[in-house]
Amino acid sequence: MRVLAIETSCDETAIALLEASGGLKNPRFKILENFVSSQIAIHRPFGGVVPMLAKREHQKNLPLLWRKIMDHESGIRQKNKPIIPNAKFLIPDLIAVTVGPGLEPALWTGIEFAKQIHQQLTTNKQRRKESKLVGVNHMEGHLYSFLLPSKLTTNYQLLTTKLFPAVALIVSGGHTTLLLLKNLTTYKKLGETRDDAAGECFDKVARLLGLPYPGGPEIEKIAQAGDPCAIPFPRPMLHQKNYDFSFAGLKTAVLYYLREHPLKDNSSRFKADVAASFEQAVFDVLIAKTMRAVREHKAKSVILCGGVSASKTLRASFKKAVREKKGTRLVVPDFRFSTDNAAMIGAVGYITLMKNGKDLPLLANGTMEI
Ligand code: KG4
Ligand code: ZN
């Protein structure tokens, strides 16, 4: 099955074309095309994502990426010609588009574009029946990103039978959510953040340290030279017997610390210590709560996903924690599928179709839950 996927929930415009097979028992994905056009440089001067700018950029970038896919797939360069499917372009069996959660103006751009493409590709009723257009949840995209091809771990197809029950931590700029999966498609939410998401907290603390957006990779970089035990930042909700998180107070603790230790200390060593200590505080909470869920629910694996899972430091710490809990394994997506991309949206589209799941309406829903 050929799956075309479109993702515009935040500041990455992404389109992917996949070949999917194997059904729910053995889902396999071959990436034919995977384009991500990042808007980081556009939003950087504002210290975060500006929704209307994101919308404008998506509107500009979607036709360019689509053009690229058509050119690649048809093997013909057709510069400056209108986007009309070439006879050699195989019509996708499925088009999947993110409908939420995210920035609504940005989501609408993707949805309208997907509808337009669907219309163009399926000019008669028969074809429209054969090529389905489905809306999908962005967070499910992160959740299933581990099913995409990876250089890190081989053969997830075999793994899928031995993974469950699994605990999944989706940790991104918009969400910090812990799920318990009975199998690939049956899951329930154990907890989530009550205020800021972990990635959002990274972005805000980076700004306090004078680092550019997005803050996660910048903090990880400078933290390498710092001491994670230098400053005892709080570990919010660490000992509470629930699976919720809270990171707003930690950000405030960093703010107060920086006020008390003003810029006479603004050496790179000082900043590195703040970054490393902050990072450690966030990761301690994420790991402790995830591993408690693993113990309580006798999970066989931890699925770590979402933009913050691009952190090598977090991956290494999770690896250590999982190794100490015998009989469990850590499952992470390839780095290129940790942060926002469309391939993961294609994976959800395929899984939704395979389980005969209910289509989500093609309406942007900024606060959609998983
Ligand atoms: O999943 P994602 O691309 O977008 C959302 O769905 O939110 O996640 C982006 C988030 C940003 O907050 C970014 O700072 C964070 O992921 N991030 C990281 C790292 N790389 C990206 N956080 C910590 N360490 C990293 N290396
Ligand atoms: Zn995301």
Side-chain angles (χ1 to χ4, degrees), residues 115-363:
K115 282 187 187 165
Q116 195 189 319
I117 295 290
H118 188 241
Q119 191 90 30
Q120 278 180 14
L121 291 176
T122 56
T123 41
N124 63 47
K125 257 191 182 164
Q126 182 54 29
R127 277 195 163 174
R128 202 156 298 157
K129 255 195 214 158
E130 284 165 11
S131 180
K132 238 175 146 326
L133 170 61
V134 298
V136 310
N137 184 314
H138 178 85
M139 290 179 71
E140 280 200 334
H142 282 302
L143 175 63
Y144 293 129
S145 58
F146 77 92
L147 294 169
L148 297 167
S150 169
K151 287 188 205 95
L152 303 169
T153 324
T154 51
N155 228 342
Y156 275 126
Q157 299 91 295
L158 286 176
L159 279 182
T160 48
T161 53
K162 294 173 193 157
L163 291 180
F164 305 107
V167 168
L169 175 67
I170 307 175
V171 64
S172 71
H175 297 89
T176 305
T177 303
L178 208 51
L179 301 176
L180 176 66
L181 286 88
K182 199 169 142 202
N183 54 46
L184 196 60
T185 54
T186 315
Y187 58 80
K188 70 169 184 184
K189 197 188 289 181
L190 295 176
E192 64 191 334
T193 183
R194 294 186 183 173
D195 41 55
D196 290 357
E200 183 182 359
C201 190
F202 267 93
D203 296 338
K204 288 175 175 169
V205 166
R207 207 182 317 172
L208 296 176
L209 289 170
L211 299 169
Y213 170 85
E218 300 293 328
I219 288 191
E220 184 176 27
K221 226 183 285 166
I222 70 163
Q224 305 295 322
D227 174 6
C229 304
I231 307 153
F233 287 128
R235 270 68 173 155
M237 299 184 74
L238 181 65
H239 298 295
Q240 288 190 21
K241 296 252 167 286
N242 55 43
Y243 292 113
D244 283 345
F245 302 92
S246 163
F247 293 107
L250 174 56
K251 168 200 67 198
T252 310
V254 177
L255 173 71
Y256 288 159
Y257 187 85
L258 292 173
R259 274 193 197 152
E260 283 160 23
H261 300 79
L263 296 182
K264 71 173 174 33
D265 288 322
N266 196 20
S267 67
S268 53
R269 176 64 214 218
F270 170 74
K271 275 192 182 181
D273 281 348
V274 174
S277 302
F278 159 74
E279 194 180 51
Q280 188 68 51
V282 176
F283 292 171
D284 278 355
V285 179
L286 293 177
I287 293 169
K289 291 217 151 180
T290 305
M291 294 314 290
R292 187 155 61 74
V294 166
R295 287 192 297 276
E296 186 176 324
H297 297 282
K298 299 188 174 35
K300 290 189 189 144
S301 64
V302 172
I303 299 170
L304 174 65
C305 55
V308 181
S309 77
S311 165
K312 288 189 175 135
T313 317
L314 180 62
R315 286 177 180 222
S317 308
F318 255 112
K319 217 179 248 176
K320 189 165 169 276
V322 166
R323 204 179 297 133
E324 281 164 11
K325 173 82 185 73
K326 292 241 160 15
T328 51
R329 66 171 92 211
L330 178 66
V331 179
V332 284
D334 199 80
F335 280 103
R336 66 192 164 133
F337 302 128
S338 273
T339 47
D340 288 351
N341 65 87
M344 68 183 195
I345 300 306
V348 186
Y350 179 69
I351 285 172
T352 307
L353 204 68
M354 288 298 109
K355 72 172 182 196
N356 272 330
K358 228 175 74 198
D359 283 17
L360 298 174
L362 292 170
L363 299 169

Side-chain angles (χ1 to χ4, degrees), residues 61-87:
N61 292 330
L62 279 169
L64 299 177
L65 296 187
W66 176 232
R67 167 99 264 156
K68 247 170 129 172
I69 296 228
M70 296 292 284
D71 281 358
H72 275 212
E73 285 298 300
S74 60
I76 298 166
R77 302 258 143 229
Q78 314 178 79
K79 269 205 183 118
N80 305 325
K81 284 209 180 154
I83 306 169
I84 293 171
N86 186 283

